[in-house]
Amino acid sequence: TMCKDVKGNIWVGGYNLVVFNTQTSQYTAPKHFMALDCSSIFCKGNDIWLASNSKGIYCIDKNTMKIKTHYTSQSKSAVKLPSDRIKYIYIDKQGHLWIATFENGFYSLDLRSKKLQRYDETQGLTNYQVASIVEDERGNLWMATGNGLFRYHPSTCSFVRFGRDEHIASVFTYGAGTIANGEIYMGSTQGLLMFKPKDINLKQSFKSVSLTS
């Protein structure tokens, strides 16, 4: 997994963390992040958010390489994660950190209030194995999962699922999502899915019901 920060440096996460300086073409491997076992990276301004397969979530300063925040299931701070095994993270424009765990569900963390919210079938999310998230121009979040594509509407806190009925793949690959010129691209096990969110019409028409008995 990798991301590019505001200075153009490329952060590459694997078993160790490596930073590639695009101006000098040199690599840096911070010793205190050896054996991090990184599963997901997200760049937000001067902050680099890192998720680990076994050590929770880190927020580090890209300039000093020092840890600003470390969330785990054993945290003594206001935020205690449901699991240290994190598969994927994403931060939306409203300042919510979205967290997909391996076996303990899917959550959002308000980075201002520190409120942790779980999402499941109650809101319409029938698969919490979220592989990638893309935010469209209207603020809706498109979540590719292990069983379908979901659209999350922030104002209603609800999900709508798209799958085989819409003739798209059901299984998506991790970290393979982006948006460009108003069009979303997501990788799946059956190829690349491309669509414009503004063209998706969720209105459904139903025939009138006639009760005969």
Side-chain angles (χ1 to χ4, degrees), residues 57-87:
I57 298 174
Y58 295 84
C59 176
I60 66 177
D61 187 300
K62 72 174 183 59
N63 297 316
T64 64
M65 295 284 189
K66 291 183 178 181
I67 299 173
K68 298 176 63 176
T69 307
H70 184 202
Y71 296 138
T72 70
S73 61
Q74 305 299 320
S75 296
K76 296 181 180 180
S77 62
V79 179
K80 181 178 290 188
L81 296 181
S83 172
D84 291 334
R85 302 186 66 218
I86 309 300
K87 187 65 177 176

Side-chain angles (χ1 to χ4, degrees), residues 13 44 46 53 55 58 77 91 97 131 159 188 193 208 212:
K44 185 74 172 178
N46 288 322
N53 286 310
K55 300 176 182 179
Y58 295 84
S77 62
I91 301 178
L97 172 63
F159 295 82
S188 77
L193 173 66
S208 58
T212 57

Side-chain angles (χ1 to χ4, degrees), residues 6 20 33 36 47-48 55 65 70 72 88 91 104 115 126-127 129 136 138 143 151-152 160 176 192 199 201:
V6 292
F20 176 68
F33 287 112
L36 174 66
D47 295 334
I48 308 296
K55 300 176 182 179
M65 295 284 189
H70 184 202
T72 70
Y88 179 77
I91 301 178
N104 289 79
K115 180 181 178 181
T126 56
N127 188 284
Q129 295 176 346
D136 67 24
R138 299 178 180 177
M143 302 182 181
R151 192 210 68 170
Y152 173 74
V160 174
L192 183 65
D199 294 338
N201 183 8

